């Protein structure tokens, strides 16, 4: 923390001196690095003129990178990390916050699932990255506009807008891609058309692939002697969509959107512990046998209303259904039950089925008052109905050196680990952006939200006391000060919250990773965050630079606490018996702690020469701790990351080539005192990943055009795991090549 405080003081001193010395300049020319954000402010705004740290990844950049899913695009972004492996399971980590502390949005509408585990959150694969206009990452809280879960950051998939006109022309697109990691194959198809009054866009993507291999090598205390299969990282899935639009007037439109996602037999990744661990007594396999996701969205938007209450108005309503199965296959060698006896074993197999139905509505309006004030306001309503079943079979085999030699006990249970439940939210928000001075823009906003969670009748559950009510009021204020036309001083302060979800409040049983048993805690309260940001943003036609410092304090932070022997002894006899039968390694409970503190520094910049060569770089440093206690598990996320990239893309030639490198610095593995040590050792080791890519387009800008692209990732064939995947060891693929072909007609 001393290092951070010194950095904070130096940066503020530099900013103050800079602000007093620099004269005003005329408006800056358009920049090659210019991006527009919708997520940060609620309306389209130049990212250079907003206070939060924002990253925008365009559709062209997405096509060049050929990601398996949206999370793959985040590995090299400043302030961002990734959790999970394979083409289906990766999820974002923003400024050390992961899982349900990061809000996923699909065109501004919530994707977060209140039936997900805390650290996992919703998967990004629900949205086809080949069908979006941009991917926006807001680094830092955004609860004023988006409510619960936006306590760490927001990831928004901005959909491709329907365009009207074109005289009834119909256009098509198609693509195919192949990757050597797991022999993956991706295909895409799309068709769009429009008239003056009607527009449509239809499309879909289809993926298939096998589990990939990790390369030989050493990573911390783990050593793999040869190429090693990372099980359950294959995938078969499909995404389809249909968008229809009707123009009701010059600035009025009605839209209908249908999204459908299907996935088969995806998993969390598994390397046989016998291949790398001295203690190979546990084998845990976590699978999603299938997942089905459907969403219907109806929207109406109007612009240039010029009424007393609004200049723009938008309302969206949606119906959503998410069905999935989660299976655990756990084998544990519990050792001899007395000296000289053979080893005994516990095998636990569980299957959870969850059906979550969601209904929601979001209204947002804006009004310009005078020439210097913009109001954005609205409300949001959601209702989530969760129905689930659980089936478990635990087989305990006790072995003896003599008769009876073996005793086998089979215990079966069909009581749900979480009762059926309904969660309802209602939120009101308002935000005002004021041009207080020719150089100074100020934004202030507030939100009131109500969250009600109620358990529904479920076999085997007493639900009379399982009803919870949260009331939250949050606010935010920020400023953008123009030091020069190409330089902004920015700062923000905001409060945020995250209500405990269904799993955190109501789960009781074996945890999804299989090693532990979670005990119900009915006393949880909402997490409440206080965030400070300050920085400089510089941008000219051929260059940009950004420096941001932040501190995010989360009071009553919900973390998984490992119970010691004395606490376990205080549990009910029935619970202790169930824990003994399951053979788990530890017992946990979701609890509120006093404060979690995350601090960091983000630096990024880039320059483009007239010949088409561009260089970009970013550096991230994050530190986190539980104030007054043992460190929080921030150490399994990136704490120090540097990224370098060079691209040559001449303006007069239809091709590009690039090189990218990323290095994650080492970090200690610090845990709750009762947590088991990881096989990787006391340090998460540093690693560096290098990649190259190239592509060419024919007939750019014409109706009939083609593109061929290729890349090689992990060029040095290094064994590594993203830090959040290192303790439950799930390494990334070795050297792998990807090639894609696309055509527009």
């Amino acid at each position: 923390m001393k290092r951070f405080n010194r950095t904070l003081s130096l940066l503020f001193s530099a900013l103050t001196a800079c602000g007093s010395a620099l004269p005003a300049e005329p408006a800056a020319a358009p920049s090659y690095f210019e991006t527009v954000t919708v997520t940060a402010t609620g309306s389209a705004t130049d990212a250079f003129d907003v206070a939060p740290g924002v990253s925008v990844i365009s559709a062209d950049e997405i096509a060049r990178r050929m990601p398996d899913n949206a999370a793959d695009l985040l590995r090299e972004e400043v302030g961002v990390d990734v959790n999970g492996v394979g083409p289906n399971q990766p999820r974002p980590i923003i400024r050390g916050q992961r899982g349900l502390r990061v809000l996923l949005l699909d065109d501004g509408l919530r994707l977060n699932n209140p039936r997900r585990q805390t650290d996992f959150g919703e998967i990004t694969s629900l949205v086809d990255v080949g069908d979006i206009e941009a991917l926006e990452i807001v680094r830092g809280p955004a609860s004023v506009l988006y409510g619960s879960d936006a306590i760490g950051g927001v990831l928004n998939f901005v959909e491709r807008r329907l365009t009207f006109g074109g005289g009834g022309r119909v256009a098509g697109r198609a693509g195919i891609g192949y990757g050597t990691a797991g022999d993956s194959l991706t295909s895409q198809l799309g068709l769009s058309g429009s008239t003056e009054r009607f527009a449509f866009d239809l499309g879909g993507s289809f993926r298939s692939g096998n589990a990939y291999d990790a390369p030989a090598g050493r990573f911390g205390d783990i050593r793999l002697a040869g190429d090693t299969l990372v099980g359950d990282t294959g995938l078969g899935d499909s995404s389809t969509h249909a968008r229809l639009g009707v123009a009701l007037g010059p600035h009025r439109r009605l839209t209908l959107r249908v999204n459908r996602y299907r996935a088969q037999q995806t998993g969390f990744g598994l390397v046989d512990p016998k291949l790398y661990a001295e203690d190979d007594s546990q084998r845990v396999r976590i699978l999603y046998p299938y997942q089905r996701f459907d969403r219907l969205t109806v929207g109406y938007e109007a612009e240039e209303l010029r009424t007393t209450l609004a200049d723009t108005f938008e309302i969206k309503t949606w119906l959503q259904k998410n069905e999935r199965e989660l299976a655990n296959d756990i084998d544990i060698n519990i050792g001899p039950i007395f000296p000289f006896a053979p080893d005994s074993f516990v095998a636990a197999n569980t299957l959870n089925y969850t059906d979550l139905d969601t209904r929601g509505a979001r209204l947002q309006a804006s009004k310009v008052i005078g020439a210097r004030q913009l109001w954005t306001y609205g409300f949001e309503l959601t209702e989530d109905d969760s129905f689930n079943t659980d089936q478990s079979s635990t087989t305990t085999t006790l072995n003896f050196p003599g008769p009876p030699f073996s005793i086998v006990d089979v215990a079966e249970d069909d009581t749900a680990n979480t009762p059926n439940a309904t969660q309802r939210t209602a939120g009101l928000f308002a935000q005002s952006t004021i041009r207080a001075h020719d150089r100074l823009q100020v934004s202030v906003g507030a939100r009131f939200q109500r969250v009600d969670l109620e358990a529904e009748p479920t076999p085997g559950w007493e639900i009379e006391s399982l009803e919870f009510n949260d009331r939250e009021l949050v606010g935010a204020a920020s400023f953008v000060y123009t030091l020069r036309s190409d330089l902004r001083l920015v700062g923000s302060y905001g409060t945020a919250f995250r209500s405990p979800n269904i799993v955190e409040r109501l789960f009781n049983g074996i945890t999804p990773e299989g090693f532990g048993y979670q005990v119900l805690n009915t006393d949880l309260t909402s997490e409440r965050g206080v965030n400070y940001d300050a920085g400089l943003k510089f941008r000219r036609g051929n260059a940009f630079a950004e420096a941001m410092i932040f501190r995010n304090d989360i009071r009553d932070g919900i973390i998984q606490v490992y119970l010691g022997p004395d606490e376990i002894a205080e549990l009910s006899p029935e619970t202790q018996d169930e824990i003994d039968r399951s053979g788990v390694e530890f017992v946990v409970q979701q609890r509120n702690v006093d404060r979690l503190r995350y601090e960091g520094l983000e630096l990024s910049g880039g320059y483009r020469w007239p010949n088409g060569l561009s260089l970009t770089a970013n550096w991230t440093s994050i530190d986190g701790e539980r104030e007054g206690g043992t460190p929080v598990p921030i150490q399994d996320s990136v704490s120090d990351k540097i990224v370098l990239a060079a691209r040559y893309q001449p303006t007069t030639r239809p091709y590009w080539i690039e090189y990218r490198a990323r290095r994650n610095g080492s970090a200690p593995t610090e845990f709750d005192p009762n947590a088991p040590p990881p096989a990787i050792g006391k340090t998460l080791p540093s690693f560096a990943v290098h990649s190259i890519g190239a592509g060419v387009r024919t007939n750019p800008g014409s109706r009939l055009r083609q593109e061929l692209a290729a890349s090689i990732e992990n060029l040095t064939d290094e064994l590594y795991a993203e830090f959040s995947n290192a303790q439950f060891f799930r390494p990334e693929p070795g050297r792998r090549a990807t090639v894609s072909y696309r055509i527009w007609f």
Side-chain angles (χ1 to χ4, degrees), residues 63-84:
R64 277 193 290 265
R65 299 279 290 277
M66 296 178 289
D68 283 328
N69 56 62
D72 278 347
L73 296 164
L74 308 179
R75 301 176 195 269
E76 297 174 4
E77 293 297 317
V78 66
V80 186
D81 195 13
V82 174
N83 178 41

Side-chain angles (χ1 to χ4, degrees), residues 305-316:
L305 293 175
R306 304 186 189 282
T307 66
T308 303
L309 295 178
D311 295 323
T312 68
F313 173 87
E314 181 179 35
I315 185 169
K316 294 179 180 179

Side-chain angles (χ1 to χ4, degrees), residues 128 174-178 185-189 204-208 237 239:
D128 182 3
I176 189 169
Y178 171 77
L185 186 66
T186 302
S187 58
Q188 295 177 323
L189 293 170
S205 66
F206 311 90
R207 301 188 298 175
S208 63
D237 72 350
S239 295

